[in-house]
Amino acid sequence: MAASLDDDFEFDNQDYYSLLNVRKEATLEELKASYRRLCMLYHPDKHRDPELKSQAEQLFTQVHQAYEVLSDAHSRAIYDIFGKKGLEVEGWEMVERKRTPAEIREEYERLQREREERRLQQRTNPKGTISVGVDATDLFDRYDEDFEEMPGGGFPHIEINKMHISQSIEAPLTNTDTAVLSGSLSTHNGTGGGNINMTVRKVTSAKGWGEVELGAGDILGPLIGLKVFRNLTQRCFLTAQCGLQFSPRGLRPSCSMMTARHLDQNTMGYLQWRWGPSSAMTTSLVRDTKSSHFTLALQLAVPHSYLMMSYQYKFQDEDQTKVKGSVKTGWFGTVVEYGAERKISRHSVLSATVSIGVPQGVTLKIKLARASQTYLFPVHLTDQLLPSAVFYATVGPLLFYMVIHRLVVIPYTEAQKEQDLELQRKSSATDIAKKKHEAESAVLLMQESVRRVIEAEESKMGLIILNAWYGKFVSDTSQKQEKAKVIDVTVPLQCLVKDSKLILTEASKAGLPGFYDPCVGEEKSLKLLYQFRGVMHQVISADIESLRIPKQSHRIEAESS
């Protein structure tokens, strides 16, 4: 059965073909024959016991539903392409009945687009950043004599000297139009301001989009901007942007343009030109592979020209650990940075970076990314290049992380994994118990039919199923601690015998009446011992293999004897 195009579709583990024990290419006559036989077996009117009658009604309904779907060409085509869940998509009843799978797939994609559009109307993507700047220079730059005259002067003075908060939300208008509302607040040493922006983006084609931005703030004033993106070729794209800032000093126009090109599968080259209050020309080379990330950038501007090179190594571990380092030098001085990043939970990434610069000094930057929220804590340690500040900025966060990781993160993640496993076990156990109950009910309903089948087969020395087992078998080479997970399916298989033949189609046996999956996710097989013409034979078949007994060799052997 073909996989669904939508990830939200998960197939029900009940296979209609397996339930009716017919081929995927079964004709309408074959479907009718199997349906009539199962209806006779499970018809509620044949059972007087209230419990058996209730169980028969459930099984009869399942068989009837399977036959209704497979006997209708339109529904069967949908089921073959998208599975049972594909039939539950809203809108099929209003679709003209198509004849070919291609036409049905086209209608399905249309319905999915409408469904996705409804989902877009209800979805927003909030993103936010909180940055708290800490001035801790008093830890290393203070002079003891300056504090002896002040009460409590022996303690270092640490303060928060700046803060920045920004937030944005998306409001999809249609499949091609999106509105973004964003705002920010900043403060530094007691003074600050804020701004609010509204952006509307429209996807014009598969090759490009454009957006209009309107903004207002208490410092820079109103802003009007326009930005466009265009794929020039399969390997090259262009971004252009222009804006007008209405500041207290007058009208301040700006313009920028960037072009990028794929140099190879993992390498991109960028060239950017910017004109306005901070005009510059920048070129950069970025190479990103599975194990590393490298960036080389050169900017020419007055007075902010610089040359920058950075390298990041990605460890191939479960925590997605990365170590990075960079060097940046220009008219403003030189800055060397190094740090590490690691995933600490399913949705959280923690990183620490040490920045050493002239004349900037030493700064420790802590960053926590939690889903779509980012928290930044730049801690300025000293204005000078002090070895002690570099040492504590490097060793301190490492020791702190190791302690927290050992005492908090590991116990939390282990408890979370155990909780998830317990939920999976309960869910799996509940599902297996439900299927087991249905299979046992089906076996009870088969007893009378099986008795008649055995009498008829014995009268002509036909096919008698002596023992049959389905599930995971343990071989001699397997570990002794491993237990077999099998169920007895003698009665269900004997019930399927007709005219001294047992025919099973190429599908999982777990969907057959009276069967269930005793070991979900593990390899299974069918082992049976049967008697034909007074001779016993044993057969082992893989789960999804077709099976036909007695085999031709057994027939010849019986006829010759």
Side-chain angles (χ1 to χ4, degrees), residues 44 53-63 437-438 441:
K53 189 179 184 69
S54 175
Q55 295 167 352
E57 288 175 352
Q58 295 179 11
L59 292 169
F60 184 82
T61 301
Q62 292 179 10
V63 171
H437 177 71
E438 293 177 354
S441 301

Side-chain angles (χ1 to χ4, degrees), residues 259-401:
T259 180
R261 179 178 175 82
H262 288 273
L263 303 180
D264 60 35
Q265 184 177 0
N266 300 307
T267 308
M268 288 285 295
Y270 298 88
L271 181 62
Q272 183 180 24
W273 169 77
R274 188 171 66 248
W275 173 81
S278 55
S279 300
M281 177 71 78
T282 306
T283 181
S284 58
L285 184 69
V286 179
R287 180 170 178 80
D288 190 15
T289 65
K290 185 178 180 180
S291 61
S292 65
H293 182 92
F294 174 78
T295 301
L296 179 64
L298 173 65
Q299 176 174 295
L300 300 177
V302 178
H304 300 291
S305 296
Y306 67 83
L307 174 66
M308 188 271 291
M309 182 174 63
S310 68
Y311 179 80
Q312 182 183 82
Y313 181 78
K314 307 172 186 178
F315 291 91
Q316 306 303 311
D317 58 355
E318 184 180 357
D319 296 325
Q320 301 177 11
T321 306
K322 302 174 184 177
V323 294
K324 52 189 175 182
S326 67
V327 178
K328 186 176 182 180
T329 182
W331 298 116
F332 55 84
T334 301
V335 177
V336 176
E337 291 188 348
Y338 58 89
E341 177 183 299
R342 194 171 196 182
K343 188 176 181 180
I344 58 175
S345 69
R346 184 181 303 175
H347 304 291
S348 301
V349 177
L350 179 66
S351 65
T353 304
V354 179
S355 177
I356 307 169
V358 178
Q360 291 84 359
V362 181
T363 301
L364 172 63
K365 302 175 183 178
I366 307 295
K367 178 181 176 182
L368 174 64
R370 171 75 177 173
S372 60
Q373 301 295 316
T374 303
Y375 305 91
L376 299 172
F377 302 93
V379 183
H380 189 50
L381 299 177
T382 175
D383 294 325
Q384 309 174 44
L385 294 183
L386 297 179
S388 58
V390 176
F391 174 80
Y392 285 110
T394 304
V395 177
L398 184 60
L399 293 177
F400 181 77
Y401 171 79

Side-chain angles (χ1 to χ4, degrees), residues 433-449:
K434 178 183 176 182
K435 295 297 182 182
K436 179 181 179 182
H437 177 71
E438 293 177 354
E440 291 174 346
S441 301
V443 170
L444 289 176
L445 299 173
M446 294 175 183
Q447 296 295 336
E448 183 62 27
S449 297

Side-chain angles (χ1 to χ4, degrees), residues 223-237:
L223 168 69
I224 300 176
L226 176 66
K227 185 177 182 179
V228 294
F229 169 88
R230 180 74 177 178
N231 279 314
L232 303 178
T233 65
Q234 292 183 349
R235 301 168 61 90
C236 183
F237 66 85

Side-chain angles (χ1 to χ4, degrees), residues 73-74 76-78 81-82 92 95-108:
H74 181 64
R76 184 174 181 175
I78 298 172
I81 298 172
F82 306 113
W92 282 122
V95 174
E96 181 185 356
R97 299 177 70 84
K98 301 292 179 179
R99 296 182 179 180
T100 66
E103 292 171 325
I104 290 175
R105 185 178 293 273
E106 180 181 346
E107 293 295 341
Y108 170 80

